[in-house]
Amino acid sequence: MQAASTLALHLQNGGDLAPMRVDDLPRADGEIALADVTCSVARFYGTDIVEPRPAGYFENHPAFGRRWVPNRRLDARRLREAEARSVPQWRDHTTARVVLTSAGVRLKPFGSPAWLPFDHALLSGVTTGLPEVVLSYTVCAPLLLAGPPAPWLGVAIAHLRGTTA
């Protein structure tokens, strides 16, 4: 949090973000790297309800023969659990390398070979918390960046957008 306050004061006094070298990030022409940190990341979205298979058992009834006996209580509980799992919530929690550039946020989840681009041009909002920042986009699910570097990133992204965090 101290780093974010220091950066905010630096930027308010006319300072700017310092470019840095990041050799393994593919960038567009003129795109400048400004930070290279590690954060916990997650996405906020809901899913379709996956209805569970009906629960029950087969019984051998003396008059009706072999028949299926449903377990309606278990079916109802499983459906409530499936509905609860489908509501919008923070999902896909992982740790990722986060590179802030002049064009956007670039994520590389640990264990993944690919960089995921989140361009500033598509950013619709920046919400800062302790110690996290939520980036809302016009075309995809919100992105949560959490950990010690997150408040600094929130200040830097708001500066790049021309707003205050």
Side-chain angles (χ1 to χ4, degrees):
M1 193 64 199
Q2 178 65 31
S5 299
T6 303
L7 176 62
L9 187 59
H10 170 73
L11 296 172
Q12 288 170 0
N13 291 329
D16 209 356
L17 298 168
M20 66 181 310
R21 187 179 176 123
V22 179
D23 293 328
D24 61 335
L25 173 68
R27 285 172 281 175
D29 289 339
E31 186 176 6
I32 301 165
L34 303 166
D36 187 356
V37 296
T38 300
C39 289
S40 296
V41 298
R43 305 296 305 279
F44 190 82
Y45 61 93
T47 63
D48 292 334
I49 297 173
V50 178
E51 292 196 28
R53 296 178 66 182
Y57 61 94
F58 284 101
E59 77 171 2
N60 290 317
H61 193 274
F64 302 114
R66 184 172 166 88
R67 68 180 185 150
W68 177 256
V69 179
N71 186 335
R72 287 180 177 56
R73 281 184 160 176
L74 183 56
D75 287 344
R77 187 187 85 207
R78 286 181 176 172
L79 182 58
R80 283 191 308 273
E81 290 169 351
E83 289 169 342
R85 284 189 303 270
S86 71
V87 298
Q89 58 187 297
W90 290 110
R91 301 174 183 274
D92 306 330
H93 295 268
T94 190
T95 303
R97 184 171 166 205
V98 179
V99 176
L100 175 64
T101 74
S102 55
V105 173
R106 309 299 183 233
L107 293 181
K108 186 175 185 183
F110 287 161
S112 172
W115 286 93
L116 306 174
F118 295 90
D119 290 342
H120 296 317
L122 303 173
L123 192 60
S124 62
V126 178
T127 307
T128 57
L130 291 176
E132 64 186 32
V133 62
V134 176
L135 305 176
S136 300
Y137 291 90
T138 57
V139 295
C140 65
L143 174 66
L144 171 72
L145 304 174
W152 187 96
L153 288 170
V155 170
I157 291 168
H159 171 73
L160 291 170
R161 290 183 68 224
T163 62
T164 57

